[in-house]
Each structure stands twice: as structure tokens, then as C-alpha cells.
């Protein structure tokens, strides 16, 4: 599995362009790989961790991410090959808000 991560979405290549704003609220800080997972670390730039309703945020983002990941060719290929995608979110105070994990079974 590690070769697949390296060939499709090498974290070291992605990290060369980071940090990067992905939208007006979210900055991608870095990407890593561990076992059969790609790990994306984000900061919500306009909110402290205390200002975020963790349940509402993770529920809403989980639905959006799953839909996006399951319809995007490159990420779908990763999932089809047994690689999970982990999304970690922190407030602008660097305090952890929560994580969303999309596993291969989420797109079937």
C-alpha cells in the first residue's frame, strides 16, 4: 500500500506547497502517511477551538468530505486500494477540534 500512496499522492510532494489556504476558512498545514492512511492536518483560520460546535462541524464536514472523496477519481482510487483518508482539524489557537476518517467502505 505504501507504494500506492507514494505514486499517487506523495505527502512530501504535497507538503512542498504547504501551508495553503483551501478556502476562506481552512488552511491545509501538512500531509502525512501512516500505515494505510493519508493524514491531512488543517487549521480553521477564523475560529478558535472554543468557537466551533464540534458535533455540528464534524457532521457537516464529514458528509461533504465523504461525498467529495467518493466522487473524485484520485481519492476514490486510493480508497479502492484500501487506503483511508484522515482529516484532522484544529482551531486557530492550535487546539484540536476533531477528526474525520473516510475508509474504503464509506464509498461503496
Amino acid at each position: 500500500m505504501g507504494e500506492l500512496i507514494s505514486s499517487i499522492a506523495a505527502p512530501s510532494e504535497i507538503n512542498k506547497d504547504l501551508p495553503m489556504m483551501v478556502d476562506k476558512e481552512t488552511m491545509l498545514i501538512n500531509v502525512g502517511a501512516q500505515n494505510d492512511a493519508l493524514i491531512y492536518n488543517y487549521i480553521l483560520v477564523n475560529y478558535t477551538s472554543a468557537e466551533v460546535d464540534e458535533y455540528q462541524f464534524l457532521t457537516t464536514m464529514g458528509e461533504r468530505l465523504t461525498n467529495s472523496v467518493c466522487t473524485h477519481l484520485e481519492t476514490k482510487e486510493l480508497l479502492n486500494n484500501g487506503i483511508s483518508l484522515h482529516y484532522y482539524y484544529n482551531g486557530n489557537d492550535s487546539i484540536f477540534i476533531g477528526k474525520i476518517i473516510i475508509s474504503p467502505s464509506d464509498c461503496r
Side-chain angles (χ1 to χ4, degrees):
M1 298 293 171
E3 315 86 44
L4 185 65
I5 289 175
S6 297
S7 66
I8 295 177
S12 60
E13 286 300 311
I14 296 169
N15 284 328
K16 288 180 182 177
D17 297 324
L18 300 180
M20 172 179 61
M21 294 297 293
V22 295
D23 60 34
K24 65 181 181 168
E25 306 285 342
T26 316
M27 180 183 291
L28 178 58
I29 301 302
N30 61 48
V31 178
Q34 183 176 3
N35 301 322
D36 293 337
L38 277 176
I39 302 162
Y40 299 87
N41 292 294
Y42 293 96
I43 288 180
L44 301 178
V45 297
N46 297 316
Y47 301 96
T48 66
S49 56
E51 294 174 308
V52 177
D53 178 327
E54 178 184 341
Y55 176 80
Q56 181 67 37
F57 174 77
L58 294 176
T59 300
T60 301
M61 281 303 296
E63 291 171 4
R64 288 180 187 168
L65 276 173
T66 300
N67 184 53
S68 176
V69 163
C70 293
T71 57
H72 188 264
L73 185 61
E74 201 171 80
T75 51
K76 180 105 169 118
E77 184 177 350
L78 289 168
L79 292 166
N80 287 340
N81 284 282
I83 296 169
S84 295
L85 304 175
H86 298 215
Y87 299 86
Y88 289 77
Y89 292 91
N90 293 286
N92 61 12
D93 53 3
S94 297
I95 296 175
F96 181 69
I97 294 169
K99 66 181 173 183
I100 298 165
I101 297 174
I102 301 175
S103 62
S105 63
D106 291 325
C107 294
R108 298 182 201 242

